[in-house]
Amino acid sequence: MVSPVLFAQVAWDEGVCIATAATLSSALYALLTVLALASLLSSTLKSLSSHGKTRSTIADRRFTVFTVPKQRFRDFYIVGFFVTCAVVSLGGDVAATASNRIVFTLVLLHLARRYHECAHVHRSTSSSRMHVAGYALGILHYLCLPFVLVTTKDVTGVTPGDESNHCDFLFILGCIFFQYQQHRHHLLLAKLRAHDRSASDPEYSIPIGGGVWVFFF
C-alpha cells in the first residue's frame, strides 16, 4: 500500500507543476493577445476593454450596465502580488534559481509600485468605470503573469538556470530605469488635474516636458 506521504511527494513535483502552469498560462496569454488585437477592429470588444474617459468615446452603448469602478484596478496588482509570492514559496528549486529570483523580485517591485499608484497617485473620478469583462481579463492576466515569466528550462536540464551573468545586470538596470520612468510620468499625469478642479471634471492639462513618455500596463 502506497504511503499517503509518499503519494503527496510524488504528486507534488514543483518542476512539473510549474512547467505545466507555465504552458497553460502561455496559451492563455496568446489568446489574450489575439483578443487585444481584435479589439482594434471590433466595436464590441472595444466597448468591453475600454475604461475611464475612453468609455465616453465609443459608439457601442450595450455594455454600460455591468461595470465596476476604475479604482478596482488595484485588485489586479493585489492578485498578481499574492500569486507571485505563492509561486516563490511553493516553487521549490525552480523558483530558487538565480534567473527566477531576479524576475520575481522585479515583478513584485512592479506590482507593489502599481498598487501604490492606483491607491495614492491616480485621480480617478467616481464616475470612472470599466466593464466587468475587462476587469475579469485583468485578473486573469495577473493570475498567469508569474507562470509566464518563470524560467522552466532548467528543469529539463537544457540550461543551468542557477548562474547569473552580466546580461542579468543590464536587464535589472533597464527594468529599474523603466519602472522609474513610468512612475514619474504617472505622477506628472496626476498633477495635470489640479486640486481645485471639480471632481467630475474629466479634462487634463496638456502635458509639457518630462522627456520620453513611457507606459506599461
Side-chain angles (χ1 to χ4, degrees):
M1 182 176 180
V2 180
S3 168
V5 175
L6 177 61
F7 177 79
Q9 291 175 342
V10 173
W12 176 253
D13 185 319
E14 296 94 341
V16 173
C17 290
I18 291 182
T20 302
T23 301
L24 294 175
S25 297
S26 296
L28 286 173
Y29 253 58
L31 177 60
L32 291 176
T33 301
V34 171
L35 290 175
L37 294 175
S39 68
L40 299 175
L41 304 174
S42 170
S43 60
T44 298
L45 291 177
K46 188 176 295 184
S47 300
L48 295 175
S49 61
S50 62
H51 54 79
K53 293 184 293 298
T54 59
R55 291 191 61 81
S56 62
T57 63
I58 58 178
D60 196 332
R61 303 294 181 181
R62 293 174 296 170
F63 305 104
T64 58
V65 178
F66 301 105
T67 61
V68 296
K70 188 184 175 184
Q71 287 92 338
R72 300 320 313 171
F73 252 70
R74 67 186 67 177
D75 295 350
F76 302 157
Y77 309 112
I78 294 174
V79 169
F81 188 91
F82 282 105
V83 172
T84 303
C85 287
V87 173
V88 172
S89 300
L90 304 175
D93 294 337
V94 176
T97 61
S99 59
N100 285 331
R101 286 198 301 268
I102 292 171
V103 169
F104 287 139
T105 299
L106 293 174
V107 168
L108 290 173
L109 174 64
H110 168 78
L111 295 171
R113 178 185 60 81
R114 289 294 293 127
Y115 174 81
H116 168 75
E117 290 169 350
C118 288
H120 304 291
V121 176
H122 293 172
R123 294 180 179 274
S124 298
T125 64
S126 58
S127 60
S128 185
R129 314 284 294 182
M130 59 179 167
H131 196 274
V132 67
Y135 176 79
L137 287 178
I139 294 294
L140 180 61
H141 170 90
Y142 283 99
L143 280 172
C144 297
L145 179 65
F147 298 104
V148 173
L149 296 177
V150 69
T151 301
T152 56
K153 288 183 179 180
D154 52 341
V155 178
T156 63
V158 176
T159 57
D162 56 359
E163 295 182 0
S164 299
N165 52 51
H166 62 279
C167 292
D168 293 335
F169 179 71
L170 296 177
F171 170 76
I172 293 171
L173 285 181
C175 184
I176 292 176
F177 170 76
F178 286 112
Q179 292 263 12
Y180 165 74
Q181 288 295 330
Q182 187 187 33
H183 179 66
R184 186 167 69 92
H185 288 99
H186 277 299
L187 290 174
L188 290 173
L189 280 177
K191 293 177 181 178
L192 293 179
R193 179 175 284 160
H195 290 281
D196 57 351
R197 288 182 132 179
S198 169
S200 61
D201 187 355
E203 299 298 327
Y204 284 91
S205 305
I206 298 176
I208 299 175
V212 179
W213 287 76
V214 182
F215 294 98
F216 297 103
F217 186 61

